[in-house]
Amino acid sequence: MTTVALLGNPNTGKTTLFNELTDKYAYVGNWEGVTVDKKLGRIRHSEMVVVDLPGIYSLTPITKDEAVACNYLLNDSPDMILNVTNASQLKRNMLLSIELLEFGRPVVLALNMIDDLKANGISYDFAELAKRLGCQVRATNARKKSGLDQLRQELLATPPTATQPLHLAYPAAVQAAITQASQALVTDYQLTPAFANWLAIQYLNRNQIVRRYANKHHLQPLLRHQQAYDDQNFEEQIFQTRLAFIDDTLTATTKYLHEVSNANLTAKIDRIVTHPVLGLPIFVGIFLLMFKLSFDWIGTPLSDGLDAFISGPLSATANQFLTSIGAIPFLKSLIVDGIIAGVGGVLSFIPQIFVLFACISVLEDSGYMARAALVTDRLMQLIGLNGKAFIPLIIGFGCNVTGIMAARTIEQPKERLVTTLISPFMSCSARLPIYGLFVAAFFQRNQALIVLSLYFLGIAVALLMAKIYQWVFKIRENTVFIIELPKYHVPRPDIIAMGTWEKGKGFIRKAGTVIFGGTVLIWLLSNLGPRGIVTNIDQSFSAAIGQFVLPLFRPIGITSWQTISALMTGVLAKEVISSSMIVLFHLSGQTGLIATFSSLFTPLSAYALLVFILIYAPCFATLAAIKAETNSKKWALYSVVSSTVIAYLAALLIYQVGSLFI
Amino acid sequence: MSLFLNILIVAIIIGGAGVVLYRHLKKSKAGSCPACEYDCAAKQQLKKHQMEQHHSS
């Protein structure tokens, strides 16, 4: 079995290429950090396995991602390397290519996004480029699926045997050090000449992973000269040599097709959307548009239709059927008032959630999300975080667990911890059904605006807490945020459809698992009491639990024990809050919902409750993720306590101050 | 439908709910990747690999 390592800079279309080559769909986006995990895929009709490694700028690691790639080369030694580059950014991309070509394995260089390059009036003499680099060069456009068959054929035809590594003309002192060290490594440690040569170059280049490897394997020819290498600043000399080589190579191989205006479309759009003043309002405007589509224009009408079907014909038919077969009232209530009303009630929000996910997929595929990170970087800098923290935070809009995992891309441990702790404040999609329930009842004319305000309140609380943590943890390191701004694309419908489905199918799956389980649990608790089956819900276990803590919640405007009991089930998963409320309040359809809620809440107390739901204790899966990522139960426990306290204080402030005016 | 059948269906539903909740909590407790609802390519490949290993053994 031949192993191909897929390596390249971030945002070169590596993941798209991986999906196309391996006939396996993977999430496609412009995010840095999407491919944090190593992914394996088999090329169709072959025994060739492609390993998708995180996007990196060089093998000298700064981040955890880069360390993964370097460690892979050191320890797994792939048979071949597929180096994906952005053809329009070849000068910068080739810094990594050189390091890979020096590794001594066959390299196939894919010049991806070739159409963008040609649109700029530039092309390359591929034969000359291949000759100078000593590898195969193929032009591709993964998004349009062009050049992929040729690339696949090239990979299958390339013999997976060691090849002559690229030799650059390093300055005499550097070359002498490389030669001396690599010869000793070959003689004393039986390393292959190519690997020894690469190891020596990387060691001289202060690659910390390679230095750790040398320490671990006691590679004395390198270790004993470390000080001398560093004193002579070999790292800078290596960098300059590589840069000169790239300049020479590109000058000799670049072909100008025609004159083009510098002001291309991407630059024109970027001048507006990344504008220091306009950038942020545009970002807010795009989010408002997204919520308008989800809650006002498309999502809600569809959700209403689905809700009418579930609470109407479906419930009635199920009820009639159960009566006709002689089901006892307990079973009928469990199925109709419990499962159909509870699970069905949450499922009726599917259109809203899918419209929102489709919008997010459009933003990702168009290339806007990278700009959003850039725009928010300015805001984040004011807080002391960098824009990189925005990426896990915005991923947290989908699911907080995924967001917390994405925080792995942040290299500074303290910054990573802060991002992990503030991630649960991001309003995940699981909270959408409960928002939907309340905005439909109290804010019918401003549904999108209310939901938007909750999302931004979540961001504001997260940023405020980040500032406090910065001060408490005494974080002074200021890491630089670099993000590739890909060219804008017209979003591809199949990528949007797949992205939406990939994000949304978890919600549907949860309906059959935790939402179903949670709904049955709350139904049982509301139908059973200390004396067995109860006919009056006020005598049930759930009433006893809710009434016990109700006095604590009166100051924030909650006057019903049902709300408290429903909030408690949110620890299972946030969607369960909605199904629990539907079961506990016996809500059925929009009219019943508005009638029930209007006697228990005012618009102000409803908003205070939504704020509480936004901020309070994360769900169990998020807590487990915090524990796993911080390696500490203490932080998970801290997250429960701190977020519940903050949620209470925020809701209290809104309700009490609001009561003075409303 | 007999009372026994009614009780049996209730028991199956409640038992099923108990099982899915137990599985959910167990999966969540396992930490980041298993707790994540997103069925990413890495997970799909891992499942495929596990299935292949299962068939070959």
Side-chain angles (χ1 to χ4, degrees), chain A residues 24-27 39-41 325-328 331 339 401-402 405 502 505 509 513-514 517 520 572 620 624 628-629, chain B residues 1 3 6 9-10 13-14 16-17 20-21 24-25 28-29 31-33 35-39 41-42 44-45 52:
Chain A
K24 200 80 191 141
Y25 184 82
Y27 185 67
K39 291 190 255 174
L40 303 175
I325 61 167
I328 57 172
L331 176 60
I339 299 168
V401 176
T402 326
M405 286 175 71
E502 287 296 323
K505 72 179 177 191
R509 198 183 307 118
T513 57
V514 66
V520 172
L572 289 172
F620 193 70
E629 296 301 306
Chain B
M1 196 160 64
L3 183 64
N6 271 287
I9 295 170
V10 170
I13 293 172
I14 293 171
V20 292
L21 279 182
H24 173 77
L25 293 177
S28 300
K29 210 177 160 188
S32 302
C33 203
C36 175
E37 279 298 321
Y38 177 46
D39 192 18
Q44 291 169 10
Q45 294 286 354
E52 280 173 358

Side-chain angles (χ1 to χ4, degrees), chain A residues 578-646:
Chain A
S578 326
S579 61
S580 296
M581 281 209 178
I582 293 167
V583 170
L584 291 170
F585 285 120
H586 301 298
L587 300 177
S588 178
Q590 286 283 349
T591 322
L593 164 90
I594 294 165
T596 311
F597 276 180
S598 58
S599 63
L600 296 167
F601 298 95
T602 61
L604 180 63
S605 66
Y607 191 74
L609 173 65
L610 290 181
V611 169
F612 185 83
I613 290 169
L614 164 76
I615 307 171
Y616 89 119
C619 69
F620 193 70
T622 306
L623 291 173
I626 294 174
K627 179 179 164 275
E629 296 301 306
T630 59
N631 217 5
S632 155
K633 273 184 189 166
K634 185 185 76 178
W635 286 121
L637 189 66
Y638 168 79
S639 182
V640 175
V641 176
S642 64
S643 51
T644 307
V645 170
I646 296 164

Side-chain angles (χ1 to χ4, degrees), chain A residues 29 34 39 44 120 243 272 275 277-278 322 369 373 390 392 439 444 509 550 593 597 599 622 628 660:
Chain A
V34 159
K39 291 190 255 174
R44 269 170 271 181
N120 288 336
L243 218 52
I272 302 164
H275 188 272
V277 179
L278 295 174
L322 289 167
M369 279 302 194
F390 170 80
V439 292
Q444 273 199 330
R509 198 183 307 118
L550 185 58
L593 164 90
F597 276 180
S599 63
T622 306
L660 299 175

